[in-house]
Amino acid sequence: DRADDFEAYWDRAREELAGVDPRYKLIRQDSLCTDSREVYILEMYSLGDVLIRAWYKRPVKEGVYPAVLHVQGYSTFLIPDWMYQGDDMVALGLNIRGHGFSKDQVNPGFPGYLQHHVENKEAYIYRGAYMDCLRAVDFLYSRKEVDTSRVAVEGGSQGGALSFATAALDHRRINLCVPHVPFLSDFRDYFKVAHWPANEFKQYFEDHPDISE
């Protein structure tokens, strides 16, 4: 049931993202570093020139390592404790726009995130959120310590859907996708069997009779 402009829509989003200077900035978190692993807050700019943040963990020992991108559940604040804890991989824990410490410019809140600009496919919240995930992959590919032949993405619930989206939209660079209970992967059927968040959309359409379901 994909729309006729599906490919063109996402091609355009990726082109727009490519036109945004990421301006990567790593801020070392001394209190979280160990003898074998360094921890940073990463700041970078994504679609619409929106500032987003992530946690970045890398081994202290020089080398080239496989990497895992962690993407989060709906409304959560992804923290370092939820990320890969070993010292033999690189890990990037992304907080997409409107989540965690990535709320500076986009912050619809909860409830309301799912409906943010739902009436405009060019501005809908997940168009930007999916591009945030691709920007995180851009960062990993910019790092000399990352083995770009071994890059994975994983997440649960909303993170499961974000994992699917990242792997699908960036399949040439993602080598492994590990989604768990992927909420938000099939809106139409999910809303038939689950009260939430179907009730939020039902209310939205009642409040906006000019918008068709």
Side-chain angles (χ1 to χ4, degrees):
D1 59 357
R2 69 166 50 188
D4 292 339
D5 66 344
F6 183 88
E7 295 290 350
Y9 177 82
W10 289 112
D11 285 347
R12 189 169 64 255
R14 285 183 293 231
E15 289 172 6
E16 289 178 23
L17 177 67
V20 176
D21 181 359
R23 287 163 278 170
Y24 302 126
K25 180 181 180 181
L26 286 172
I27 306 166
R28 182 183 168 90
Q29 303 298 294
D30 292 335
S31 64
L32 299 177
C33 295
T34 68
D35 291 340
S36 61
R37 189 177 64 231
E38 295 178 327
V39 182
Y40 298 82
I41 290 176
L42 165 66
E43 294 185 346
M44 55 187 169
Y45 288 82
S46 182
L47 191 72
D49 211 33
V50 170
L51 173 64
I52 57 173
R53 295 183 177 88
W55 301 98
Y56 186 57
K57 294 182 178 183
R58 70 180 185 193
V60 170
K61 185 179 178 181
E62 289 288 328
V64 179
Y65 298 89
V68 56
L69 168 61
H70 302 280
V71 284
Q72 79 222 91
Y74 187 69
S75 80
T76 64
F77 190 154
L78 195 153
I79 58 175
D81 286 350
W82 299 354
M83 298 166 61
Y84 183 72
Q85 296 298 309
D87 56 9
D88 57 349
M89 288 180 65
V90 164
L92 182 62
L94 176 65
N95 279 271
I96 59 171
R97 60 188 61 201
H99 285 68
F101 50 13
S102 297
K103 296 179 179 179
D104 299 51
Q105 294 162 273
V106 178
N107 187 21
F110 305 92
Y113 190 93
L114 281 164
Q115 293 79 31
H116 190 58
H117 290 312
V118 72
E119 78 291 343
N120 179 0
K121 67 183 180 182
E122 300 301 325
Y124 184 51
I125 190 70
Y126 280 103
R127 184 175 190 261
Y130 290 176
M131 291 302 106
D132 294 347
C133 297
L134 269 58
R135 177 97 305 168
V137 179
D138 290 340
F139 172 76
L140 289 174
Y141 266 67
S142 76
R143 304 299 301 178
K144 63 180 176 56
E145 64 266 27
V146 170
D147 178 353
T148 55
S149 71
R150 293 187 292 170
V151 177
V153 59
E154 75 82 29
S157 193
Q158 173 188 252
L162 294 175
S163 297
F164 275 139
T166 305
L169 291 168
D170 209 350
H171 60 89
R172 291 182 178 86
R173 298 194 296 177
I174 294 294
N175 309 110
L176 178 68
C177 177
V178 189
H180 319 282
V181 290
F183 170 54
L184 298 180
S185 298
D186 181 352
F187 280 49
R188 289 185 179 94
D189 287 341
Y190 185 85
F191 292 173
K192 293 175 184 176
V193 298
H195 173 69
W196 181 86
N199 62 308
E200 291 186 16
F201 279 93
K202 182 173 183 289
Q203 185 63 53
Y204 178 88
F205 292 127
E206 289 177 358
D207 294 341
H208 300 82
D210 56 313
I211 304 295
S212 68
E213 185 172 344

